[in-house]
């Protein structure tokens, strides 16, 4: 039977995706010479010390901790800012609410890169240049438009009658938010958290230009490219890359369905 | 607290957004009028002199050309291909799980790891040249990132490597939310697969196609700086300098912040113009049907 065009195309592209990943994974265990002479063969001897060398040279340990710290604080701040805003927007239908929603919709389209240089100036003015703290404050701002919009969508699924009856029984906004809205919108909160955590974890250019490359503050994304030099050991570089992507792949292996939902929701709602 | 005052709860996030996103964006227009030799110096106001300087600079012309080539090649290849692959994924073909995991994976990988992967793949001793050697095409092997003829195409190829699968997954998710019966009915009516895809499914998700086209356009246009910084530094010469990279390079390695921000404003204008164009393209098709 003749395979269909779509089938061939889809597997061809899958192959194009898979080959660099395979090449990366096996290079991580080879010497420079073996990478060059037998690029696609399995390592003749598995060079586990590449991993250790990458870990030491790029100081990935502290860098991973910095990434955890920055992403962790940033995600908490994002939710603290976005959840009440989404609650307010879901419960108010007037013109002002539409203006606020419109502002966030427009903001979602602005690529953060557009304002990179003025943001560096802002960091200097605030005395936070070269610190992790600035990233913790800045990353939520870039994540807010999408987070607020997504959370509002989820909070709109709360039946108004339920909110009314709870309010009748004397529930204040705090009770309504924490006992009714957040529990019902929990899938949305989780989606936003996963989506933005991944975005924060992967952020590179702002971390590079504002937090900088000092080993005690740099994130893992900034630490990894420090393995490049005039005489780059491709094996060690590949090993460092494997170490850097593995936390994300472990997370994906554990929650792949949730993660896929979260990431597609981000773009579908946009 | 009455309902109308509830909107106060949006003030902290609006303020946050204003300080860290809108403020810097507005400041760009101010910096564009300054003579400012790096962040540690005092700036002076020179008005539109930076604009004249930028528009007379051959590097800027090269950057405009490269950015236009980049989006004009990447987007028209990426969107239709991703749509077809997404449509195929949505039919749950054999091996669906594996395909969807693979297509999804570039979405998980950061720009700096992508850069490092392709640094290895495209280096003179790297995977592509190894592959060419293995099939006896050594003559085609080159230093992909250091050859003026291949540096920009290589970067565009990486954009496609990253973008197509991920966009396909997004299309598949959207198509899955459609009423499957319409598509089935079209197939039963004897419309071929290809026809069903473009004549039935495509119009149903056209708004979404437009949105994704805009997003991919903006991402490609604005975010190329990071990958270029990691892989080619805009070179050799200016052969892979895009507008986005020029904004970065002028500010951080060539210490001319005014120049950098004039290019930033140009980039923003190109972004807006592209969005208007994409909107118009999708509208005309609708009216002509």
């Amino acid at each position: 039977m003749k395979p269909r065009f779509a089938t061939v195309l889809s597997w061809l592209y899958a192959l194009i995706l898979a080959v660099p990943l395979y090449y990366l994974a096996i290079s991580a265990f080879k010497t420079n010479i073996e990478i060059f002479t037998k690029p696609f063969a399995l390592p003749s001897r598995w060079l586990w010390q590449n991993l250790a060398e990458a870990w030491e040279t790029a100081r990935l340990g502290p860098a991973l901790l910095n990434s955890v710290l920055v992403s962790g604080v940033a995600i908490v701040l994002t939710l603290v800012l976005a959840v009440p805003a989404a609650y307010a927007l879901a419960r108010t239908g007037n013109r002002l609410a539409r203006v606020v929603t419109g502002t966030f919709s427009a903001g979602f389209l602005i690529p953060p890169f557009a304002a990179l240089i003025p943001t560096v100036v802002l960091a200097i003015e605030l005395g936070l240049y070269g610190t992790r703290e600035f990233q913790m404050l800045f990353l939520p701002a870039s994540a807010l438009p999408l987070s607020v919009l997504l959370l509002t969508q989820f909070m709109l699924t709360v039946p108004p009658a339920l909110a009314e009856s709870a309010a009748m029984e004397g529930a204040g906004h705090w009770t309504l938010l924490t006992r009714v809205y957040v529990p019902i919108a929990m899938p949305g909160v989780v989606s936003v958290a996963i989506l933005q955590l991944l975005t924060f974890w992967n952020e590179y250019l702002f971390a590079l230009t504002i937090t900088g490359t000092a080993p005690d503050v740099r994130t893992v994304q900034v630490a990894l490219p420090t393995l490049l030099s005039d005489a780059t050991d491709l094996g060690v570089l590949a090993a460092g890359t494997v170490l850097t992507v593995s936390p994300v792949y472990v997370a994906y292996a554990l929650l792949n369905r949730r993660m896929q939902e979260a990431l597609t929701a981000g773009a579908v709602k946009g | 607290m009455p309902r109308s005052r509830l909107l106060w709860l949006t003030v902290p996030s609006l303020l946050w957004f204003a300080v860290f996103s809108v403020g810097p964006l507005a400041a760009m227009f101010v910096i564009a009028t300054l003579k400012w030799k790096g962040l540690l110096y005092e700036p002076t106001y020179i008005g539109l002199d930076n604009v004249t300087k930028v528009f007379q600079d051959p590097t800027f012309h090269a950057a405009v050309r490269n950015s236009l080539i980049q989006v004009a090649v990447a987007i028209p290849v990426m969107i239709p291909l991703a749509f077809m692959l997404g449509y195929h994924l949505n039919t749950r073909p054999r091996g669906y799980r594996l395909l969807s995991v693979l297509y999804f994976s570039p979405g998980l990988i950061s720009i700096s790891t992508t850069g490092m992967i392709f640094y290895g793949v495209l280096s003179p001793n790297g995977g592509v040249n190894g592959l060419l050697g293995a099939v006896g095409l050594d003559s085609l092997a080159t230093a992909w990132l250091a050859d003026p003829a291949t540096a920009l195409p290589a970067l565009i190829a990486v954009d496609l490597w990253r973008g197509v699968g991920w966009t396909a997954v997004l299309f598949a998710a959207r198509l899955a939310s459609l009423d499957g019966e319409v598509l089935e009915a079209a197939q039963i009516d004897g419309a071929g697969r290809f026809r069903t895809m473009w004549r039935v499914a495509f119009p149903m998700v056209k708004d979404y196609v437009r949105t994704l086209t805009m997003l991919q356009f903006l991402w490609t246009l604005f975010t190329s700086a990071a990958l270029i910084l990691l892989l080619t530094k805009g070179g050799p010469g200016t052969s892979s300098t895009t507008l986005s990279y020029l904004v970065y390079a002028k500010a951080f390695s060539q210490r001319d912040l005014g120049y950098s921000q004039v290019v930033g404003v140009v980039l923003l204008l190109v972004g807006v113009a592209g969005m208007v164009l994409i909107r118009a393209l999708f509208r005309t098709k609708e009216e002509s049907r």
Side-chain angles (χ1 to χ4, degrees):
Chain A
M1 200 174 79
K2 199 173 73 140
R4 274 208 308 262
F5 172 69
T7 311
V8 175
L9 189 68
S10 66
W11 285 103
L12 184 66
Y13 180 64
L15 192 68
I16 293 173
L17 280 173
V19 169
L21 297 176
Y22 166 78
Y23 177 74
L24 170 78
I26 55 162
S27 297
F29 300 97
K30 292 178 175 177
T31 61
N32 242 0
I33 294 169
E34 202 183 354
I35 290 172
F36 181 43
T37 51
K38 293 184 206 124
F40 297 100
L42 288 174
S44 56
R45 199 169 58 83
W46 291 74
L47 223 60
W48 290 92
Q49 62 260 44
N50 277 353
L51 293 173
E53 201 179 329
W55 184 270
E56 297 286 322
T57 313
R59 302 212 214 163
L60 290 177
L64 281 165
L65 279 179
N66 287 331
S67 283
V68 169
L69 196 64
V70 169
S71 317
V73 174
I75 196 67
V76 171
L77 194 52
T78 304
L79 291 175
V80 166
L81 288 165
V83 167
Y87 169 74
L89 289 175
R91 296 211 64 196
T92 327
N94 61 18
R95 191 129 61 100
L96 195 56
R98 282 197 295 278
V99 172
V100 175
T101 309
T103 308
F104 283 126
S105 305
F108 168 65
L109 283 176
I110 305 171
F113 174 81
L116 173 67
I117 281 88
T119 308
V120 178
V121 176
L122 179 66
I124 294 171
E125 294 292 320
L126 294 174
L128 293 173
Y129 185 69
T131 66
R132 291 164 294 189
E133 284 75 12
F134 187 82
Q135 277 293 80
M136 295 171 186
L137 297 174
F138 163 77
L139 289 174
S142 59
L144 275 173
L146 182 60
S147 304
V148 171
L149 294 176
L150 278 173
L151 287 170
T152 308
Q153 293 293 324
F154 279 96
M155 292 208 179
L156 282 170
T157 62
V158 173
L162 184 64
E164 294 307 328
S165 72
M168 295 272 253
E169 286 166 27
H173 284 300
W174 177 250
T175 317
L176 267 176
L177 177 62
T178 53
R179 297 285 170 80
V180 180
Y181 277 79
V182 169
I184 293 181
M186 206 52 187
V189 177
V190 174
S191 284
V192 167
I194 294 177
L195 173 70
Q196 303 298 11
L197 260 179
L198 184 70
T199 313
F200 297 163
W201 183 266
N202 282 343
E203 206 290 316
Y204 171 63
L205 212 49
F206 283 81
L208 173 72
T209 51
I210 294 173
T211 313
T213 51
D216 52 332
V217 289
R218 68 188 182 198
T219 64
V220 69
Q221 306 298 341
V222 176
L224 174 67
T226 61
L227 290 172
L228 293 181
S229 69
D230 291 336
T232 304
D233 185 326
L234 291 176
V236 173
L237 178 66
T241 311
V242 167
L243 287 171
T244 306
V245 292
S246 47
V248 176
Y249 272 91
V250 169
Y252 180 55
L254 293 175
L255 6 114
N256 66 68
R257 199 174 204 106
R258 285 233 50 101
M259 207 146 162
Q260 196 146 340
E261 273 166 21
L263 268 66
T264 48
V268 171
K269 291 281 160 38
Chain B
M1 188 156 57
R3 280 280 188 98
S4 54
R5 285 173 47 195
L6 203 52
L7 284 175
W8 281 105
L9 288 175
T10 63
V11 170
S13 47
L14 283 171
L15 269 180
W16 215 270
F17 184 62
V19 170
F20 289 99
S21 296
V22 182
L25 202 65
M28 196 166 84
F29 291 87
V30 178
I31 300 177
T33 65
L34 303 176
K35 185 177 174 65
W36 197 356
K37 287 171 62 65
L39 295 162
L40 300 172
Y41 293 81
E42 275 300 305
T44 46
Y45 177 80
I46 52 163
L48 295 177
D49 288 6
N50 283 326
V51 180
T52 330
K53 185 166 150 200
V54 168
F55 278 83
Q56 284 170 352
D57 185 359
T59 305
F60 173 71
H61 300 159
V64 170
R65 199 199 54 152
N66 290 338
S67 274
L68 291 179
I69 293 176
Q70 189 192 21
V71 292
V73 174
I75 302 303
V77 173
M78 186 186 299
I79 299 295
L81 193 59
F83 179 75
M84 288 193 282
L85 292 171
Y87 184 84
H88 183 65
L89 269 191
N90 188 45
T91 62
R92 306 253 159 172
R94 212 203 293 223
Y96 162 79
R97 285 288 306 155
L98 180 60
L99 281 178
S100 94
V101 166
L102 276 172
Y103 284 22
F104 191 71
S105 29
L108 299 172
I109 303 176
S110 72
I111 201 77
S112 82
T113 39
T114 307
M116 294 308 99
I117 293 173
F118 282 93
Y119 181 90
V121 168
L122 297 168
S123 80
N125 307 344
V128 172
N129 286 347
L131 194 64
L132 288 171
V135 295
L137 289 169
D138 302 69
S139 56
L140 290 179
T142 176
W144 299 96
L145 297 170
D147 181 337
T150 55
L152 185 65
L155 291 165
I156 296 174
V158 178
D159 284 339
L160 290 172
W161 183 84
R162 263 170 88 73
V164 172
W166 169 234
T167 313
V169 172
L170 295 178
F171 277 132
R174 183 58 163 225
L175 287 164
S177 70
L178 289 182
D179 187 357
E181 286 176 17
V182 180
L183 298 182
E184 274 166 36
Q187 297 250 338
I188 292 164
D189 281 353
R193 262 175 68 91
F194 204 71
R195 229 183 127 77
T196 313
M197 175 168 68
W198 289 113
R199 290 282 159 163
V200 184
F202 183 78
M204 287 167 83
V205 294
K206 210 167 85 178
D207 282 350
Y208 188 59
V209 178
R210 187 182 64 192
T211 308
L212 273 193
T213 308
M214 284 183 177
L215 285 177
Q216 282 293 5
F217 164 73
L218 290 175
W219 287 334
T220 308
L221 186 68
F222 278 86
T223 60
S224 60
L227 197 63
I228 294 173
L229 174 69
L230 291 163
L231 291 180
T232 66
K233 302 252 190 300
T238 55
S239 61
S240 66
T241 299
T242 62
L243 288 171
S244 159
Y245 181 70
L246 194 57
V247 170
Y248 177 90
K250 280 290 170 185
F252 295 108
S253 35
Q254 296 165 36
R255 317 228 151 231
D256 191 343
L257 291 170
Y259 183 117
S260 157
Q261 294 309 280
V262 171
V263 181
V265 172
V266 171
L267 191 58
L268 212 57
L269 294 177
V270 174
V272 172
M275 303 251 287
V276 171
L277 180 71
I278 291 167
R279 197 174 272 271
L281 276 177
F282 278 92
R283 190 171 298 145
T284 0
K285 272 189 202 156
E286 201 164 79
E287 283 161 4
S288 67
R289 197 177 310 112

